[in-house]
Amino acid sequence: SGVSLSAQPPGAQVTLGDRLVLSCTVAAETGPLSFTWHRGGSGAPLGTGPHLELQHVGDNDSGHYHCRVSDGDSVAESVPLDVTVL
């Protein structure tokens, strides 16, 4: 899809109470893009924009995260990233 996710800390393994930042990047940017973040099958987006920041990660923050990118015409989705809370 040309949409990729990266995490800080790398590997998306984050210690309880620490900060997690997920970044969504698009290979071929064509005009203005809108981003939404999702975890698992949850309907409501967790956030918008190319980055999702979780300040104090809790036990319930682990799971599969993905971003959706829309350019107004089409929607692309990243491969899910598995976040593990240690």
Side-chain angles (χ1 to χ4, degrees), residues 31-58:
L33 300 173
S34 62
F35 297 84
T36 54
W37 290 90
H38 305 270
R39 184 177 78 222
S42 66
L46 301 169
T48 57
H51 306 285
L52 178 69
E53 186 173 326
L54 303 176
Q55 288 285 354
H56 303 285
V57 173

Side-chain angles (χ1 to χ4, degrees), residues 16 18 40 42 44 65 71 78:
L16 191 68
D18 279 2
S42 66
Y65 288 75
D71 62 5
S78 72

Side-chain angles (χ1 to χ4, degrees), residues 6-14 20 22 81-84:
S6 59
Q8 198 57 250
Q13 291 197 338
V14 58
L20 172 70
L22 301 179
L81 182 70
D82 193 17
V83 171
T84 306

